[in-house]
Amino acid sequence: KPTIEQENNDPSIETETTPIIPARNLAPLFERNEDCIGWLYIEGTAVDYPVMHTPNEPQRYLRKNFDKEYSTAGVPFLKGICTLECDNLILYGHNMKNGTMFSDVTQYRNKDYYTAHPVIEFETAQGLKRYAVFAVAQIKNNDGWYAFHLAADESEYDCKIAEIKSRSLYVTEITPMYGQQLITLSTCYGATKSDRIIVIGVEIHE
């Protein structure tokens, strides 16, 4: 694991905006609810929540809180068919009018917001991973991107990356390479119930 000094010497990361975040103690959360698999965090935003995963009942936490009681806000959750080893971790959260959950994800339609919040952190029992945002797209809830969780080979991975970058609301300088894990945050946004906005990051190997 890199030392703090090594992390700060990475030229792709601005030292001033890279907080040294101690590993969260997730063990009590895992003990309290076995459906919890990790913690999602984006510095300077409201995105700072546990993440749930229930493959046999994928949308269990759509309208339940962490303690499994009814809640309109729900809890962010990993798509049922995904595992933590997938090429693309697809996470869902509600766009709440009070600014909680994934409401700030919709702000990424503005490039200035992306510039100010370029990194998504996802911590699990396996450790903390950081992902650099590289694409933001407005799509429908039946979009093919939601079916992409495992790449058959490098060619398919590269094609998916090229396609989603071509549909991004703006250009970033980042192009993921085969073998780098992706994370997709999805929330409702748009004129109809089927409209979504997705923010996609690629794992930073520090």
Side-chain angles (χ1 to χ4, degrees):
K1 184 173 170 65
T3 65
I4 289 171
E5 289 77 21
Q6 286 172 321
E7 287 180 356
N8 282 350
N9 285 337
D10 185 339
S12 67
I13 298 170
E14 294 176 27
T15 307
E16 301 78 40
T17 59
T18 308
I20 306 304
I21 298 175
R24 296 170 184 84
N25 181 11
L26 299 179
L29 287 179
F30 297 153
E31 289 171 13
R32 191 170 133 203
N33 188 332
E34 67 283 357
D35 295 334
C36 180
I37 57 165
W39 194 276
L40 185 71
Y41 174 75
I42 304 176
E43 185 192 4
T45 77
V47 180
D48 192 10
Y49 295 106
V51 174
M52 317 305 277
H53 190 220
T54 50
N56 296 327
E57 189 188 338
Q59 297 190 334
R60 179 181 296 170
Y61 287 91
L62 190 70
R63 296 296 179 197
K64 287 186 189 298
N65 65 17
F66 191 87
D67 295 313
K68 304 180 183 179
E69 299 156 339
Y70 179 79
S71 162
T72 55
V75 187
F77 58 92
L78 179 67
K79 187 178 179 76
I81 59 173
C82 291
T83 69
L84 290 176
E85 287 72 44
C86 277
D87 294 318
N88 183 21
L89 301 173
I90 302 172
L91 276 61
Y92 297 98
H94 287 297
N95 176 9
M96 301 298 292
K97 290 179 181 176
N98 65 1
T100 60
M101 294 300 156
F102 277 14
S103 59
D104 279 349
V105 170
T106 68
Q107 303 289 337
Y108 277 91
R109 65 191 188 277
N110 302 314
K111 192 168 185 180
D112 286 348
Y113 194 87
Y114 150 73
T115 303
H117 310 91
V119 176
I120 299 166
E121 296 189 0
F122 186 38
E123 188 166 359
T124 68
Q126 300 168 0
L128 174 65
K129 289 186 178 183
R130 302 172 76 245
Y131 301 81
V133 175
F134 73 92
V136 179
Q138 289 183 234
I139 64 176
K140 295 291 187 180
N141 61 355
N142 61 351
D143 192 272
W145 185 259
Y146 291 117
F148 173 53
H149 59 102
L150 285 173
D153 51 29
E154 185 171 354
S155 175
E156 184 187 10
Y157 182 94
D158 290 346
C159 283
K160 290 289 186 183
I161 295 299
E163 186 230 358
I164 202 66
K165 278 181 69 81
S166 74
R167 296 162 63 196
S168 183
L169 297 177
Y170 43 80
V171 175
T172 68
E173 301 303 312
I174 302 166
T175 300
M177 305 294 287
Y178 183 59
Q180 286 183 290
Q181 189 177 56
L182 311 175
I183 192 167
T184 299
L185 308 185
S186 172
T187 196
C188 296
Y189 179 78
T192 73
K193 285 187 174 181
S194 63
D195 289 332
R196 301 289 184 271
I197 190 166
I198 55 173
V199 172
I200 312 162
V202 57
E203 186 179 354
I204 302 167
H205 292 305
E206 295 175 298

